[in-house]
Amino acid sequence: MKNNNIQSVVFLKKNGWTIRKAEKYLNDNNYKLTFYGKGVDKKFDNQLRYRQLAPSKFENYITLKKRNGILFIIGIK
């Protein structure tokens, strides 16, 4: 999936996602591993969140959920 408006890619830990697996997925699919020098956002206990674009670029968001436990946060201008 490629979309110029993907603000974040989120991996749900309950679906077995680890930092290692998530970063392999991101790398294999040409997503960013870091955003302004920061990697995974560790403030969430149940997910691994990787920012792709600054949230200030968007007014609203929608979430696209995949069966494999990946959420794409898509920004709407």
Side-chain angles (χ1 to χ4, degrees):
M1 169 186 202
K2 278 291 147 201
N3 187 316
N4 292 336
N5 291 337
I6 295 177
Q7 192 274 325
S8 290
V9 181
V10 179
F11 300 87
L12 300 178
K13 291 181 179 179
K14 71 180 182 182
N15 288 76
W17 287 102
T18 63
I19 290 175
R20 187 178 197 173
K21 288 179 183 178
E23 290 184 355
K24 181 178 181 344
Y25 176 90
L26 292 169
N27 193 44
D28 290 350
N29 291 280
N30 298 313
Y31 290 106
K32 296 177 189 176
L33 296 175
T34 62
F35 185 79
Y36 289 118
K38 294 182 181 180
V40 63
D41 188 342
K42 295 181 181 177
K43 70 181 176 183
F44 302 99
D45 291 334
N46 61 346
Q47 62 182 242
L48 304 167
R49 179 179 292 258
Y50 292 84
R51 185 173 286 180
Q52 302 296 299
L53 296 170
S56 60
K57 293 182 74 170
F58 306 104
E59 293 179 20
N60 289 303
Y61 302 91
I62 59 171
T63 302
L64 176 61
K65 298 178 183 180
K66 298 297 211 177
R67 286 186 175 162
N68 59 0
I70 298 176
L71 310 177
F72 293 96
I73 311 303
I74 301 170
I76 301 169
K77 295 181 182 185

